[in-house]
């Protein structure tokens, strides 16, 4: 049985940087560009790291900033100041 976790973002400039950072942190993930949205999915776990996003943006970044661009998520969320993790427990 598949245990895909996913996150879907609005397709805008911030989300494109975020998608690039997520793919760097999760090379096993799949990305789908659809009209007006970007979907990233992986088996069991996706990790979004603050440090990777800050490298992409060239500035400080708060994990909470991401939520403005989120359309949907699938999985259990574990969040702190440095990470946003989606996984099935």
């Amino acid at each position: 049985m598949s245990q895909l976790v996913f996150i879907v973002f609005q397709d805008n400039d911030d989300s494109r940087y975020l998608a690039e950072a997520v793919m760097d942190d999760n090379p096993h993930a799949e990305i789908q560009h659809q009209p007006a949205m970007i979907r990233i999915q992986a088996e069991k776990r996706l990790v979004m790291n603050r440090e990777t996003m800050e490298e992409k943006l060239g500035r400080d970044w708060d994990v909470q900033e991401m939520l403005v661009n989120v359309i949907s998520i699938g999985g259990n969320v574990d969040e702190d100041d440095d990470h946003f993790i989606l996984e099935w427990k």
Side-chain angles (χ1 to χ4, degrees):
M1 180 162 97
S2 176
Q3 291 188 333
L4 285 178
V5 295
F6 67 87
I7 190 162
V8 183
F9 301 108
Q10 299 174 46
D11 191 355
N12 59 38
D13 290 337
D14 288 339
S15 293
R16 287 182 208 113
Y17 285 113
L18 185 54
E20 190 177 321
V22 171
M23 293 305 293
D24 285 354
D25 288 337
N26 301 276
H28 63 286
E30 297 175 22
I31 188 168
Q32 300 170 356
H33 292 271
Q34 300 174 3
M37 64 184 188
I38 302 168
R39 178 186 171 105
I40 302 172
Q41 65 185 29
E43 280 290 328
K44 298 185 182 175
R45 183 176 169 96
L46 271 176
V47 178
M48 287 146 262
N49 294 304
R50 179 187 51 79
E51 184 177 333
T52 307
M53 189 59 181
E54 287 179 344
E55 289 172 10
K56 297 290 179 192
L57 289 174
R59 66 169 177 84
D60 289 344
W61 183 76
D62 186 325
V63 174
Q64 293 288 313
E65 289 181 49
M66 171 192 68
L67 298 177
V68 172
N69 298 303
V70 172
I71 296 171
S72 183
I73 59 172
N76 300 111
V77 174
D78 182 10
E79 178 182 6
D80 61 29
D81 290 341
D82 295 321
H83 307 92
F84 185 90
I85 301 169
L86 288 172
E87 62 187 337
W88 290 114
K89 296 183 179 188

